[in-house]
């Protein structure tokens, strides 16, 4: 879609036709000061003027990116250059640079931001995320790239962006804060703090407008502004109480270094884990389900220690169901971040390095115990995925793969029957779509997440082929699909 059309669509979506036209006109002609670099505005909507050295540094950094630079924003001039630029352009973090052209007057984490908050007597928004976070992208487009929302934020708050992969210490503190407020954590993590860094309110994703009884981001901003102005003492008391809870939680429980757990500790742990396992689909609880490897690894080791068959069944059931579902990338190997349902079918398509590093070893441990070749196949597929898709040319590993492709979540991974049949011989294609439950109606937005709803030995018997031949046919077919998918 041409950029001017994309920009108009963004404005119409968030502001309505009349306001969109006015804002577009204003955006096209930002205020400049005489002799200042034309590539960087003197200030952002509602924000304090940039100091001259900072503005010059931003202009230089923008110039160094060259004519091929693609700013991540809906707001561009006719020549493609960004209308807005903020301090995050000078940061090395990929996530912070994704927000470098928001109209929000972002600061990186540091003393400068909190000194500004004290000088202006404003609360601070600490917004934490990472570069492959789907809902971080959504909130950016809906709120942080919205000039009207940005203006209110700039006029009433000091805004800080934090990359949790660069500052896990900051993330841990404020994730503990939201959990102390009896809320579920996650990213984006948005925490409002006092100028001395003490939290008093927090949430994760906020929609751009009120919906279904849930306050939109502008409503939350207005409520906090009013509370901070009218009931400061209550906010400061709340921040002090919350800070005490965080300090206590992060201190943990100390134990003597000589303490060695006895059998009773292991038995208690086993009795806490096994009864919570979903005996139909594996895993713990309902939806969403995360691939929590540590309890499963404990059960495997407990079985090796005690011979407890129930512990082994709880562990292997979970591993088998995860590997058969859409949580596991049936074509390319590796696991997605979590399942949105109890059956491990529809994942959140993001892939995390730490999940797959732990799960590859976990499936290997399970294979060593059981000798099940399917567990070995999944272990190898997961580790191969790390070595091919997650390894950087310099030799290190990327921390995550984005859930989004072509602007939508999961597009890279899903298939239609027609796509499968165009790639495979008719007989193999027929077998493949039956095994992986590929249908015309689909199981995800009219396409199909590949999964194995039936035991392959039972399928082989029904198809009148040996299990070995069936697995070989499916492996060859997956290889063909992987080659085609790599071109997406």
């Amino acid at each position: 879609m041409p950029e001017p059309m994309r920009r108009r669509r963004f404005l119409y979506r968030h502001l309505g036709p009349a306001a969109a036209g006015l804002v577009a006109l204003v955006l096209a002609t930002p205020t400049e000061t005489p002799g200042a670099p034309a590539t960087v505005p003197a200030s952002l909507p509602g924000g304090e003027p940039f100091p001259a050295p900072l503005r010059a540094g931003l202009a230089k950094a923008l110039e160094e990116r060259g004519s091929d630079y693609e700013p991540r924003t809906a707001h561009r001039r006719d020549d493609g250059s960004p209308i807005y630029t903020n301090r995050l352009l000078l940061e090395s973090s990929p996530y912070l640079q994704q927000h470098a052209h928001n109209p929000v007057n972002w600061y990186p984490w540091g003393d400068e931001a909190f000194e500004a908050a004290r000088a202006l007597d404003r609360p601070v928004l600490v917004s934490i995320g990472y570069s492959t976070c789907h809902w971080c992208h959504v909130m950016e487009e809906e709120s942080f790239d919205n000039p009207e929302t940005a203006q209110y934020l700039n006029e009433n708050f000091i805004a800080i962006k934090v990359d949790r992969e660069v500052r896990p210490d900051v993330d841990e503190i404020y994730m503990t804060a939201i959990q102390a407020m009896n809320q579920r954590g996650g990213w984006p993590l948005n925490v409002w703090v006092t100028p001395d860094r003490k939290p008093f309110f927090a949430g994760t994703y906020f929609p751009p407008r009120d919906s279904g009884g849930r306050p939109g981001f502008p409503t939350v901003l207005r409520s906090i502004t009013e509370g901070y102005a009218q009931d400061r003492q209550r906010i400061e008391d709340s921040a002090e109480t919350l800070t005490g809870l965080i300090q206590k939680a992060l201190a943990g429980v100390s134990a003597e270094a000589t303490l060695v757990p006895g059998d009773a500790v292991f038995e208690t742990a086993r009795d806490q884990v096994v009864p919570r396992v979903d005996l139909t689909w594996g895993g713990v609880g309902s939806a969403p389900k995360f691939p929590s490897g540590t309890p499963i690894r404990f059960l495997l080791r407990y079985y090796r220690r005690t011979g407890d068959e129930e512990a082994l069944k709880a562990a292997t059931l979970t591993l088998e169901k995860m590997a058969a579902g859409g949580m596991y990338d049936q074509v390319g190997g590796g696991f997605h971040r979590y399942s949105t349902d109890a059956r491990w079918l529809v994942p959140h398509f993001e892939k995390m390095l730490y999940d797959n590093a732990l799960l590859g070893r976990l499936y290997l441990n399970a294979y060593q115990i059981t000798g099940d070749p399917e567990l070995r196949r999944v272990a190898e597929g997961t580790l191969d995925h790390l070595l091919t898709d997650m390894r950087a040319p310099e030799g290190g590993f990327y921390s995550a793969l984005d859930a989004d492709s072509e602007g939508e979540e999961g597009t890279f991974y899903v298939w239609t029957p027609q796509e499968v049949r165009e790639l495979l011989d008719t007989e193999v294609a027929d077998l493949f779509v039956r095994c992986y439950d590929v249908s015309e109606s689909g199981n995800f937005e009219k396409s199909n997440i590949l999964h194995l709803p039936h035991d392959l030995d039972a399928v082989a018997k029904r198809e009148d082929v040996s299990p070995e031949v069936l697995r070989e046919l499916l492996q060859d077919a997956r290889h063909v699909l992987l080659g085609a998918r790599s071109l997406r």
Side-chain angles (χ1 to χ4, degrees):
M1 178 184 296
E3 186 54 40
M5 185 180 297
R6 189 189 305 274
R7 191 185 309 164
R8 288 196 297 272
R9 187 182 72 170
F10 182 90
L11 294 170
Y12 271 69
R13 176 180 174 187
H14 294 288
L15 303 177
L22 177 59
V23 171
L25 177 62
V26 172
L27 295 183
T29 56
T31 302
E32 301 288 350
T33 57
T39 54
V40 176
S43 64
L44 297 172
E48 299 298 310
F50 287 144
L54 171 62
R55 193 177 177 209
L58 293 173
K60 181 180 178 182
L62 194 57
E63 182 181 358
E64 289 174 348
R65 277 156 172 75
S67 58
D68 295 335
Y69 177 58
E70 284 287 330
R72 182 189 174 96
T73 177
H75 311 298
R76 304 188 194 184
R77 299 181 176 89
D78 291 340
D79 63 359
S81 65
I83 291 175
Y84 304 118
T85 299
N86 59 58
R87 288 172 174 83
L88 302 187
L89 186 68
L90 304 177
E91 299 298 308
S92 61
S93 156
Y95 177 60
L96 267 54
Q97 289 200 18
Q98 287 178 352
H99 289 265
H101 301 296
N102 295 161
V104 174
N105 189 24
W106 291 116
Y107 286 78
W109 178 269
D111 293 339
E112 181 188 11
F114 291 101
E115 289 169 1
R118 284 189 287 272
L120 297 170
D121 192 26
R122 293 180 185 173
V124 179
L125 167 63
V126 178
S127 184
I128 305 173
Y130 56 101
S131 62
T132 62
C133 169
H134 172 71
W135 287 103
C136 298
H137 301 337
V138 173
M139 192 165 179
E140 176 192 8
E141 177 185 331
E142 292 176 339
S143 295
F144 298 138
D145 215 33
N146 183 311
E148 186 177 274
T149 301
Q151 179 170 342
Y152 188 88
L153 189 57
N154 295 341
E155 289 173 343
N156 296 280
F157 299 86
I158 296 298
I160 296 176
K161 257 293 167 196
V162 175
D163 184 343
R164 67 176 288 258
E165 294 180 321
V166 175
R167 295 301 305 261
D169 53 333
V170 175
D171 178 60
E172 182 180 15
I173 291 169
Y174 291 124
M175 188 62 71
T176 303
I178 193 172
Q179 292 167 346
M181 298 178 194
N182 296 318
Q183 295 189 56
R184 176 179 290 178
W187 299 277
L189 175 61
N190 293 291
V191 186
W192 283 264
V193 307
T194 63
D196 55 0
R197 312 186 190 203
K198 297 178 180 179
F200 60 87
F201 184 76
T204 53
Y205 164 78
F206 292 99
R209 59 188 65 83
D210 300 350
S211 177
R214 184 178 184 181
F217 191 57
T219 299
V220 172
L221 293 178
R222 287 194 296 271
S223 297
I224 292 174
T225 301
E226 293 170 3
Y228 199 79
Q230 300 172 9
D231 202 355
R232 179 78 59 87
Q233 189 59 52
R234 183 177 64 84
I235 285 178
E236 291 179 351
D237 291 346
S238 176
E240 286 294 335
T241 300
L242 193 55
T243 298
L245 294 174
I246 295 169
Q247 291 171 337
K248 183 177 180 179
L250 293 180
V253 178
S254 61
E256 294 184 18
T258 56
L259 176 65
V260 177
D263 290 346
V265 174
F266 297 127
E267 290 166 4
T268 299
R270 179 261 186 220
D271 291 342
Q272 289 181 350
V273 174
V274 172
R276 298 175 60 206
V277 173
D278 179 345
L279 296 180
T280 302
W281 298 104
V284 175
S286 54
K289 278 185 175 175
F290 286 80
S292 301
T294 300
I296 303 303
R297 187 177 178 211
F298 163 74
L299 292 178
L300 292 174
R301 294 176 68 86
Y302 187 81
Y303 168 76
R304 289 291 294 266
R305 182 185 179 96
T306 66
D308 186 332
E309 293 288 343
E310 192 176 7
L312 178 63
K313 180 182 178 181
T316 55
L317 174 67
T318 298
L319 296 176
E320 290 163 2
K321 293 298 184 180
M322 280 174 51
M327 262 286 295
Y328 182 68
D329 181 355
Q330 302 293 338
V331 169
F335 286 86
H336 298 292
R337 185 162 175 246
Y338 63 85
S339 175
T340 62
D341 58 80
R343 298 185 296 152
W344 307 105
L345 174 59
V346 179
H348 173 44
F349 288 92
E350 185 178 9
K351 286 183 176 181
M352 311 301 290
L353 176 65
Y354 58 80
D355 282 338
N356 284 284
L358 294 171
L359 288 168
R361 181 176 180 180
L362 181 60
Y363 275 84
L364 178 60
N365 292 157
Y367 167 69
Q368 290 173 323
I369 291 174
T370 66
D372 184 341
E374 280 300 297
L375 295 175
R376 172 177 174 168
R377 180 183 69 82
V378 175
E380 291 175 342
T382 301
L383 297 175
D384 285 344
H385 161 66
L386 293 180
L387 292 173
T388 54
D389 299 331
M390 301 288 279
R391 186 162 59 176
E394 298 82 4
F397 288 85
Y398 297 117
S399 60
L401 289 179
D402 205 311
D404 294 355
S405 48
E406 300 179 29
E408 300 291 338
E409 184 178 3
T411 303
F412 181 77
Y413 298 99
V414 296
W415 298 88
T416 64
Q418 180 180 351
E419 289 171 333
V420 173
R421 296 186 189 281
E422 287 175 352
L423 294 169
L424 304 176
D425 293 339
T426 301
E427 188 174 336
V428 176
D430 289 342
L431 181 62
F432 189 91
V433 298
R434 289 196 295 271
C435 286
Y436 285 98
D437 196 28
V438 180
S439 66
E440 294 293 343
S441 57
N443 56 30
F444 181 76
E445 298 180 358
K446 299 182 179 180
S447 290
N448 293 269
I449 301 168
L450 300 184
H451 68 119
L452 291 166
H454 307 293
D455 178 74
L456 285 182
D457 289 341
V459 173
K461 184 176 181 179
R462 186 184 68 208
E463 298 289 339
D464 196 25
V465 297
S466 71
E468 294 76 19
V469 169
L470 176 61
R471 285 180 168 85
E472 186 175 344
L473 286 171
L474 293 179
Q475 180 176 333
D476 291 343
R478 290 194 302 267
H479 183 73
V480 173
L481 266 64
L482 179 61
R485 195 180 76 177
S486 67
L487 303 176
R488 292 179 176 178

